[in-house]
Amino acid sequence: MRRLLGFLLHPEVSLWKYCLSLVPLALIPSAFLVLLATLTAEAAGLNAAAHSAPAIDVTLGNVFGAVVFSPIVETFMLAGLLKVLSSTSLHPAVCAAFSAVLWGGLHGLVGALWFFGTVWGFFVFSCGYIAWRHTSLRQGFLAAAVPHALANSIAMLLLWVA
């Protein structure tokens, strides 16, 4: 975990390599968490489908919303939240964790299991912002928004293929 946090918070690669690296780092654990949460809910006798993220049709508007609008708007909001959290004496990883739980919780309001699909991704995106904002706010923004947009692009592509 220390090595992962080192990479997330102190990257030694270019911004673009970093952004591309964050996509599988966000998606694979998130998919595992959703699967684990779904199986746990079903084992407990809950209707997992009733607590999942809402079904999304792959329309041009929904793709635009998921791939462009949401990553941009949510990254602006994430940046504001992290600015407040970073003004405390909290470790950057703790700031990213608080951010992730908040974002997971907001998504979970729509479908409880959606929390598990977003919490890890937003931890990764928050770390990206924190790691690169010291270079510039623009690079911090890109380090969070680009992997978010790419992850959402893959999700939309999978929905379209399915």
Side-chain angles (χ1 to χ4, degrees):
M1 185 63 156
R2 182 176 290 235
R3 191 173 197 162
L4 175 62
L5 283 176
F7 172 77
L8 288 172
L9 294 172
H10 306 288
E12 296 180 6
V13 296
S14 72
L15 175 62
W16 294 109
K17 284 183 183 178
Y18 182 82
C19 287
L20 292 175
S21 298
L22 290 195
V23 177
L25 279 176
L27 282 177
I28 294 169
S30 292
F32 178 74
L33 284 173
V34 168
L35 177 63
L36 186 61
T38 301
L39 292 174
T40 302
E42 289 174 354
L46 296 174
N47 178 1
H51 300 285
S52 295
I56 298 173
D57 293 327
V58 182
T59 65
L60 187 57
N62 285 342
V63 170
F64 178 81
V67 175
V68 178
F69 183 79
S70 291
I72 290 172
V73 170
E74 289 177 352
T75 301
F76 274 118
M77 294 167 60
L78 178 139
L81 173 64
L82 288 172
K83 180 175 178 128
V84 171
L85 290 171
S86 296
S87 69
T88 67
S89 61
L90 294 173
H91 186 278
V94 175
C95 293
F98 275 123
S99 173
V101 169
L102 177 69
W103 282 104
L106 290 172
H107 285 81
L109 291 173
V110 178
L113 290 176
W114 203 3
F115 171 87
F116 299 98
T118 56
V119 68
W120 176 256
F122 273 95
F123 175 75
V124 171
F125 305 149
S126 295
C127 285
Y129 179 80
I130 290 167
W132 288 91
R133 72 160 184 236
H134 299 293
T135 305
S136 75
L137 290 175
R138 179 181 175 272
Q139 287 185 332
F141 185 88
L142 290 172
V146 169
H148 188 174
L150 292 173
N152 285 1
S153 296
I154 291 169
M156 292 303 285
L157 179 63
L158 291 173
L159 286 173
W160 181 66
V161 170

